[in-house]
Structure formats: C-alpha cells, structure tokens
Amino acid sequence: MGSHADIPSVEVAPLTLNPDGVPVSEKYGDVYHSSAGGHAQARHVFIGGNGLPMRWANRDHFTILETGFGLGINFLATWLAWRNDMQACKALNFVSVEKHPFSAADLAIAHAAFPEFAELSQQIIGCWPALTMGEHRIEVDGGRVVLRLVFGDAMAVLPQIDVQVDAFYLDGFSPAKNPDLWSPSLCKMLAHHAASGATLATWSVAGMVRQALSEAGFVVAKKEGFAGKRQMLVGHLAPNASFGY
C-alpha cells in the first residue's frame, strides 16, 4: 500500500473574504455563497429545490451528488435537516466533488460564521482527509451519514465514481467563470449516474446550463430564486432519458 506521498496533492484553496465578509475564490473571481446567507441559500436552492426532506422520507437510503463542495455549507445544511427530520431516510450518502479543497484550519474559520453547524463542523474537521487526489470517505452518526469527498477535476473523477444519484446539487462557480463544471459533457456524466426519478437544483439559470442539462436528458424549469436572485433552476431526469459518454 502506497503512502500519501505517492498520491498527487491537490491545489488547496486559500480562504479569502470580500468586504462583506463572504468567502471568495481568487482563482475564479466568484463568491462561495450568497451574501444573504450560506445556510439559508442551501435550504432554499438545494434542499428545497430537490423536494427535500419530503423525498427522502421513510426510505432506506438516499444519495446526493454535489458539484463543488466548497466550504461544505450545503452538506452541513443537509446533514442538519436530516438530523432534524423524524421521517428521514435510514442512511444518507453525500458525494461531493471538489477540485480545490480548503484546509481543515480554514474550514474551521469559515464555519465559525455558522454557529448552528458547530457540532457537525467539529466532527467533519476532526476527520478532514489528507488533501490528495481521489476519494476520501467520512462516516458520521454511527455510519448512517456517509460523506464521500472526491478531490480532483470533475471531468476526470466523475466517470470513476460508482453511485446512483437521487438528487443533484449543482453548485460550481458561475458558468461564465468556470464553464467546465457546466459543460454538455459533464451534464451527460451526471445523467449517467442518475437514478430513476432523480432531481436537480442550482442557482444558475444561464442559457448554456439549461441547454446542456436538457440535452443530457433532464427536464428543467425556472422557479423563484434566493434573496436578490430572481430565479433558480430545478429539474428531473426525463423518464425516457437515454445517455452515455
């Protein structure tokens, strides 16, 4: 078995705040979450946009795949919603792809802005993996919640992930600034991993995103966005979708 030294490291994202105190990516020139609140945005766009928690109610397991782990706010919000739901699925599987992860120390600083996540954040940061390429598995709540962090370029790692997805959180940086994470090829990869009845949600309503998702076999529609953003996008896999890549 090789050591971590044998595995390529990833390019770590530095924690940088804009004048409003919102974390931003210097590399992509975009924010990690809305200035109106990361937790509220996660609840409205990703949890609500995918019909949760209703869709996971009383199921044995439910799987979410996220493009862009970032600060982990969407995961923490979803985990908290799962914990607070008496009818939640027995097992929650959360797969998240991230090309430029943060260090554990910077995550701790960023998460301090969300006291409601304090206990959950502490657990994740306490077992934060080495910042090396590939998949890293974190189990919490007695193994009932599994976070599969996949560090690397989404186009390279998505074909290697063995997963059938019930809900997609599409949370990359702006399509204008990071088009690769919204490309037709990537959307087809997502469709390949979609379980029957899979849904998706994203804050982006860009024409290129809607077209790429539609061509991949998803039926998409606009709905009311979060805070100052007028619209967001939701969708589901068409029943007769056929795909491949």
Side-chain angles (χ1 to χ4, degrees):
M1 190 83 172
S3 67
H4 286 312
D6 302 323
I7 306 170
S9 296
V10 295
E11 183 183 342
V12 180
L15 182 63
T16 305
L17 305 180
N18 69 11
D20 295 327
V22 177
V24 297
S25 168
E26 295 176 352
K27 188 177 185 72
Y28 293 100
D30 203 359
V31 295
Y32 277 95
H33 61 72
S34 168
S35 58
H39 188 184
Q41 180 184 33
R43 285 198 307 261
H44 181 92
V45 176
F46 298 106
I47 297 174
N50 277 291
L52 303 175
M54 186 170 62
R55 286 187 56 234
W56 68 32
N58 302 312
R59 290 182 52 165
D60 284 336
H61 54 82
F62 193 88
T63 299
I64 295 167
L65 188 147
E66 175 183 49
T67 53
F69 184 77
L71 296 165
I73 302 304
N74 294 335
F75 169 69
L76 293 171
T78 303
W79 182 12
L80 186 62
W82 177 89
R83 271 194 165 189
N84 291 337
D85 182 9
M86 296 294 290
Q87 295 182 302
C89 51
K90 293 177 183 175
L92 179 65
N93 184 28
F94 196 103
V95 183
S96 189
V97 178
E98 178 56 60
K99 189 175 182 180
H100 303 295
F102 285 97
S103 68
D106 279 348
L107 281 180
I109 294 169
H111 289 177
F114 303 91
E116 67 272 31
F117 295 146
E119 183 210 339
L120 307 185
S121 168
Q122 197 170 28
Q123 290 188 55
I124 293 301
I125 291 169
C127 50
W128 193 242
L131 299 180
T132 53
M133 300 280 280
E135 183 172 323
H136 306 269
R137 184 183 179 96
I138 296 175
E139 296 187 11
V140 290
D141 275 342
R144 293 180 64 202
V145 175
V146 176
L147 171 60
R148 294 169 60 187
L149 284 166
V150 188
F151 294 155
D153 183 272
M155 289 291 291
V157 300
L158 275 172
Q160 302 171 24
I161 300 173
D162 181 17
V163 66
Q164 286 290 291
V165 179
D166 298 300
F168 294 94
Y169 291 5
L170 306 185
D171 197 23
F173 290 119
S174 163
K177 297 175 180 179
N178 187 23
D180 291 350
L181 212 48
W182 309 89
S183 69
S185 297
L186 188 132
C187 290
K188 287 175 183 174
M189 289 183 189
L190 298 179
H192 178 83
H193 287 301
S196 176
T199 62
L200 66 86
T202 180
W203 46 267
S204 177
V205 292
M208 63 167 283
V209 172
R210 288 183 279 121
Q211 182 175 347
L213 288 169
S214 297
E215 290 176 354
F218 292 98
V219 179
V220 297
K222 296 176 184 177
K223 64 174 290 188
E224 183 182 354
F226 172 69
K229 194 156 174 53
R230 194 164 61 88
Q231 295 176 315
M232 57 174 274
L233 202 67
V234 297
H236 64 272
L237 187 71
N240 59 347
S242 61
F243 40 75
Y245 55 76

